[in-house]
Amino acid sequence: MIVRLPPLAPGLRVGLYGGSFNPAHAGHRHVSRLALRRLALDRVWWLVSPGNPLKDRSHLPEAARRAEGARAMARDPRIAVTDFEAALGVRYTRETLAWLTERHPEVRFVWIMGADSLASFHRWRGWREIAERMPFAVIDRPGYTLAAMASPAARALARARIDEAAAATLAGRAPPAWVFLHGPRSGLSSTALRAAAKPSVFRA
């Protein structure tokens, strides 16, 4: 099995931003640039997943096709797009993060998620394991702020949350550690974009 990763070096601060990217859009780029700036990251990787186990994947295009679209959207030398999870054959985020950290312990990885993901984080397979494996940052999204902060995962990990003013230190902290980042928010979503792209059907 050959797994090709974007370039890595000891001490590099890399944000991992996973999703289906079906399709990738300007909101993904907005989140990535916000994370690069506020978390003092060197790179952000878009992890184009084989598919979310919590969602219907029957009509999901192949990861390679979605990755191609993501590269066209990224348009930033600090953002790398990879679909290596498909080559690994993993289904869950905890498997991906374990594989990366065990092979590259010298890299300072940070998991990045939207507030909508934090709201349902407690439903992820091994979510406590994820929190114990690497620091993570939550990016605010319209309509999810209150639900995210009131979620079972946010309450369970309340003591590990750091002040937003210390966000630039997150990559160097031992997990569990996380931060909730406020700021300009993007209301774009892949679901809405797919719906808008479908041809309308009119009946007389």
Side-chain angles (χ1 to χ4, degrees):
M1 177 182 63
I2 299 176
V3 178
R4 293 184 175 86
L5 297 177
L8 283 173
L12 205 66
R13 301 158 69 98
V14 178
L16 304 175
Y17 188 21
S20 63
F21 294 92
N22 182 36
H25 52 72
H28 293 127
R29 190 171 61 238
H30 167 78
V31 166
S32 301
R33 287 176 172 171
L34 177 67
L36 282 160
R37 183 176 72 255
R38 298 286 300 280
L39 302 175
L41 300 176
D42 299 301
R43 299 285 188 277
V44 167
W45 292 4
W46 288 3
L47 306 185
V48 180
S49 72
N52 187 336
L54 298 177
K55 297 180 179 179
D56 178 17
R57 294 179 289 172
S58 59
H59 301 292
L60 188 66
E62 291 185 358
R65 179 178 165 190
R66 288 178 279 124
E68 183 179 354
R71 292 187 184 96
M73 175 58 65
R75 299 202 304 270
D76 190 311
R78 300 167 299 172
I79 299 174
V81 178
T82 174
D83 60 349
F84 78 90
E85 287 179 299
L88 280 181
V90 299
R91 290 189 61 201
Y92 300 104
T93 297
R94 68 171 184 172
E95 298 172 314
T96 299
L97 304 192
W99 190 89
L100 282 172
T101 55
E102 288 166 7
R103 285 160 180 77
H104 300 282
E106 75 287 355
V107 176
R108 298 177 181 178
F109 289 112
V110 173
W111 180 252
I112 299 169
M113 69 170 82
D116 55 326
S117 292
L118 179 61
S120 61
F121 192 33
H122 60 286
R123 297 176 57 208
W124 293 25
R125 179 72 63 89
W127 67 271
R128 291 182 184 272
E129 179 185 333
I130 293 171
E132 291 287 344
R133 184 165 294 277
M134 70 175 57
F136 68 93
V138 179
I139 313 297
D140 199 10
R141 285 197 65 186
Y144 286 98
T145 308
L146 296 179
M149 295 310 297
S151 67
R155 293 198 304 268
L157 298 169
R159 291 188 177 183
R161 183 186 175 192
I162 68 171
D163 190 274
E164 192 170 357
T169 69
L170 184 67
R173 291 178 179 258
W178 64 287
V179 66
F180 193 99
L181 295 180
H182 299 84
R185 299 177 297 179
S186 172
L188 290 173
S189 77
S190 295
T191 302
L193 290 174
R194 289 196 304 274
K198 289 182 180 179
S200 298
V201 176
F202 295 96
R203 295 182 179 178

